Amino acid sequence: PVMAKLQLDDVVGTVAVHGVPGAWGVIAVALFARPHCQSDLRGLFFGGGQEALRLLGVQVIGLLALIAFTAVATYVTVVAIDLVFGFRS
């Protein structure tokens, strides 16, 4: 419904399959990190306190950077394809 309302065409459901779960995975690191997971950090649900909040902030900034990069790369690609081959009207 959101994609239709925004008039976006996602024929194979990539946003639903990769975008939303990927974003959740990035955020979940700050929530569920445990000391045995590659570092000594603890997530918010495991008593991480201020360090966990900082990790959450870092993860959100990283997620926003990924979204911005993806949007710019997609726009450049679509414009290039439209200039070279053209899209159906």
Side-chain angles (χ1 to χ4, degrees):
V2 173
M3 297 295 279
K5 188 170 186 126
L6 295 174
Q7 296 181 348
L8 298 173
D9 189 16
D10 186 14
V11 179
V12 294
T14 40
V15 172
V17 171
H18 297 287
V20 177
W24 166 246
V26 169
I27 299 300
V29 168
L31 301 177
F32 300 108
R34 298 181 84 184
H36 67 279
C37 293
Q38 310 224 355
S39 76
D40 292 330
L41 290 174
R42 293 179 181 270
L44 284 172
F45 296 145
F46 292 97
Q50 291 295 336
E51 284 185 350
L53 287 174
R54 183 180 177 283
L55 178 60
L56 180 60
V58 169
Q59 294 296 99
V60 168
I61 290 169
L63 181 59
L64 293 174
L66 284 169
I67 291 169
F69 173 80
T70 303
V72 170
T74 300
Y75 179 78
V76 168
T77 303
V78 166
V79 168
I81 290 172
D82 191 32
L83 289 173
V84 174
F85 303 107
F87 283 109
R88 296 183 298 178
S89 297

